[in-house]
Amino acid sequence: MKYIGLILLAWLGINQAGQGIYVCKNAAVSLYSKAPIEDIDAHSDKGTSVLNTTTGDVAFAVPIRSFKFEKSLMQEHFNENYLESDKYPQASFKGKLNTIPDVSKDGTYPVTATGVFEVHGVKQNRTIPGKITVSKGAVSLTSEFMVACKDHKVEIPKLVFQNIAETIRINVSAVYTPYK
């Protein structure tokens, strides 16, 4: 999975170092589902991202198997029964910021990115909200959004429908370094 960053760079058509290109190789991604019987909470620090503050291009990818759960059985069901991570090994987003903040100035900038979000082999056009923060030249991005299981053909068996919510909250946090 160490090549995901390189794949993202190629995906965005970035083939040389340049001003305005930032990378993150350890983005934190979490998912949370509140359900009547049991909450589901998983985390990964294996996300990768590329942000081009000149063009507004942004891409994220996270290996599905990198999500860690408190209960190993829950993790096993997540990978084998729901997300089928052997067949669909990653979730991704490739899009463009709708407004590009001036990263030469410290501040917090609300942003949205419109693009293609892919989970479980299903691509969906999405506009995802976020926040870019610039502090002393350091660029970071955070986002929180909801994903409906049915939108990505993630089937929840009726036997466990009270254990898993129909929508999952996703949080993403990436701290970028300039691409050299």
Side-chain angles (χ1 to χ4, degrees):
M1 289 300 166
K2 65 183 178 179
Y3 299 106
I4 289 178
L6 294 174
I7 292 167
L8 288 175
L9 289 170
W11 200 16
L12 289 177
I14 300 167
N15 57 14
Q16 59 185 4
Q19 193 168 10
I21 299 171
Y22 296 84
V23 295
C24 176
K25 296 178 184 174
N26 59 350
V29 182
S30 66
L31 55 91
Y32 180 77
S33 160
K34 178 126 182 99
I37 304 282
E38 186 171 37
D39 295 343
I40 296 172
D41 195 6
H43 303 273
S44 171
D45 63 358
K46 305 288 186 205
T48 55
S49 179
V50 176
L51 172 65
N52 185 324
T53 59
T54 303
T55 65
D57 290 328
V58 61
F60 273 89
V62 62
I64 298 300
R65 284 205 174 272
S66 70
F67 283 98
K68 301 299 178 208
F69 293 74
E70 188 175 317
K71 297 179 179 178
S72 60
L73 186 59
M74 198 178 282
Q75 186 167 325
E76 182 181 328
H77 287 173
F78 174 80
N79 282 299
E80 293 177 13
N81 301 341
Y82 302 116
L83 277 257
E84 300 175 275
S85 57
D86 286 339
K87 188 174 182 181
Y88 308 108
Q90 74 176 16
S92 65
F93 176 80
K94 178 185 174 194
K96 197 174 228 10
L97 296 175
N98 294 319
T99 56
I100 304 170
D102 182 353
V103 295
S104 69
K105 297 178 183 173
D106 282 4
T108 299
Y109 307 95
V111 294
T112 56
T114 300
V116 177
F117 180 62
E118 183 175 0
V119 175
H120 197 238
V122 177
K123 295 179 181 181
Q124 183 186 51
N125 292 323
R126 293 282 306 260
T127 297
I128 297 176
K131 185 171 37 175
I132 291 180
T133 301
V134 181
S135 178
K136 298 177 184 165
V139 177
S140 62
L141 182 142
T142 58
S143 179
E144 179 176 303
F145 58 98
M146 301 299 287
V147 175
C149 295
K150 67 178 182 176
D151 289 348
H152 295 278
K153 298 182 181 175
V154 176
E155 295 181 18
I156 312 295
K158 294 204 185 302
L159 184 64
V160 295
F161 79 97
Q162 287 192 331
N163 293 32
I164 301 172
E166 293 178 24
T167 57
I168 309 294
R169 184 181 71 219
I170 307 295
N171 283 289
V172 177
S173 178
V175 178
Y176 295 91
T177 56
Y179 178 64
K180 298 176 183 179

